[in-house]
Amino acid sequence: MSRAVGNGIMETGGFHRTEADPFAKGFDMGLAKPLSRSVRLNGFSTCLRLEQIYWNILTEIARINACSVSALLSYVDREVHLRYGGVKNFSGLVRVVCVVHVLKARANLD
C-alpha cells in the first residue's frame, strides 16, 4: 500500500514532489460521482454512466451546437460507426471527446 505525504505522490522508489496539485483549491469530489442517464442514440434508448464532470462538459458542447445532449451523443455514435466501424467502449469514447473539447478550448485561450 502506498500513501502520499505532504505534497508528494508515490513513485517507484519514493515520493515525487508535485508542481501542480491535482486537488486544486475548491476541488469538488461530486464531479467524480458516476451518474447514469437514459439517452436516445439514433432512436434507440440506452443508459450511459459517466461521472458528473463529463455530463457537464457534454451539456456545454450541446449548448455550443444548439442541440440536446442526446442529439450530440447520437452524432458521436453515428460518426464513430461511419468513420471507424464502431467502438467497443462508447462511454470511454465520450470521455475522450470531452477531454479533447476541453484541451482545444484551453489551446484557443493561449
Side-chain angles (χ1 to χ4, degrees):
M1 177 196 260
S2 65
R3 62 184 177 91
V5 176
N7 274 353
I9 56 173
M10 186 66 176
E11 276 189 343
T12 305
F15 288 93
H16 173 75
R17 187 145 180 89
T18 59
E19 295 297 323
D21 186 357
F23 291 99
K25 185 176 181 180
F27 182 81
D28 180 3
M29 277 300 291
L31 295 174
K33 180 181 177 188
L35 179 63
S36 295
R37 289 194 183 170
S38 181
V39 294
R40 292 188 73 77
L41 297 179
N42 300 308
F44 295 96
S45 287
T46 190
C47 187
L48 189 60
R49 185 175 173 93
L50 298 168
E51 293 75 14
Q52 181 63 52
I53 189 67
Y54 294 110
W55 288 114
N56 294 356
I57 296 168
L58 288 170
T59 300
E60 176 185 332
I61 298 170
R63 181 189 55 76
I64 290 167
N65 288 290
C67 66
S68 67
V69 170
S70 286
L72 174 67
L73 292 171
S74 289
Y75 173 80
V76 171
D77 182 56
R78 184 175 52 252
E79 289 300 310
V80 77
H81 282 285
L82 292 173
R83 296 179 190 198
Y84 304 102
V87 66
K88 290 183 180 185
N89 182 355
F90 185 70
S91 58
L93 172 66
V94 171
R95 286 181 182 94
V96 170
V97 165
C98 290
V99 170
V100 168
H101 169 77
V102 169
L103 292 175
K104 280 186 176 183
R106 189 175 83 183
N108 289 336
L109 295 176
D110 293 339

